[in-house]
Amino acid sequence: MLNFNQLRTFYEAARSGSFTRAAEALCVTQPAVSGQIRALEEALGLRLFRRRGRNMVLTEAGALVFRQAERVFALEREIEGLVEELRTVRQGLLKVGTTKTYARYVMPDILGRFHAAYPGIRIVLDEGASAAVVRSVVEGRSEMAVVGLAEPVRGLRCVPFRREEVVLFAAPGHPLAGRGEVGFSELAGELMVLKEEGSTTRTLVRGACRRHGVSPKVLVETSNLEFIKDVVARGEGVSFLVRCAVEEELRAGKVVEIPLRDERLWLDVFIVCPEPDVLSPAAQAFLEILEES
């Protein structure tokens, strides 16, 4: 095995042309330099220096080894530079998971602020149902996630981020529209368009229906927010989404909110990540911006 301490000593001696100057650069004694080079020559079975008068000069073999050593230590300097850029968040890759709702309505502003502060960091946004996104953090495919959770995830740090109201909405001409508040019991028999399996919104709605003795009559389950809103706007069913996802359609009058009499539904959104001491510098910087939000 090549001893890199011996190789570094040889490199400094060959670069400076002097065992004395190599000893000064390495903060060791000249005999230590001579001993390291002699040990390297013995390990390689090659003479790397030969004496010319009072000077030591490279042999042909030594010159060839020196050219390769130059490449090795140039690469070392590149690695040191890269590590410094990673440490100071000037370069790097950050993988963040979130739901499709947050990817569209919340994350763009946060990502914009992060990019303005750290333009050298490339972000990969992993979108999916809350359960799948959390699993990506557990399995190490994402460093952190911003998701709605019914309860904290064991083994991960779950920092409260926001609380989103989940609203019931329908087309303006739907029979439930315009009644004022409705109870969950009045949803019995109504076609529902629900979020996909693994969605915390879906879990929240299903749980509320169970508490009020309602068995949802599901028209379709999907992760596609635009599909959900289009189907509901055509009067083919009712649905539940976080308010930020349907706010634009409510303002435009494409759909209307139906207030709930029995209870209001709230989705607790968390920043999910390992403990901060195992996060990359880029992830730690992103966590700070999330917490400022």
Side-chain angles (χ1 to χ4, degrees), residues 206-249:
R206 287 276 193 179
C209 287
R210 279 195 302 273
R211 285 194 298 275
H212 296 281
V214 174
S215 180
K217 189 177 179 181
V218 179
L219 173 65
V220 66
E221 295 184 0
T222 177
S223 64
N224 190 317
L225 296 175
E226 297 310 310
F227 179 82
I228 292 173
K229 292 184 285 188
D230 286 346
V231 169
V232 172
R234 290 199 301 268
E236 297 179 28
V238 299
S239 187
F240 291 86
L241 288 176
V242 292
R243 184 176 295 280
C244 66
V246 75
E247 218 158 26
E248 185 178 324
E249 288 76 14

Side-chain angles (χ1 to χ4, degrees), residues 50-68:
R50 60 184 175 85
R51 185 172 296 280
R52 179 186 291 170
R54 299 179 60 184
N55 298 320
M56 298 294 288
V57 297
L58 288 169
T59 63
E60 288 296 325
L64 290 172
V65 172
F66 174 69
R67 283 201 289 272
Q68 297 304 312

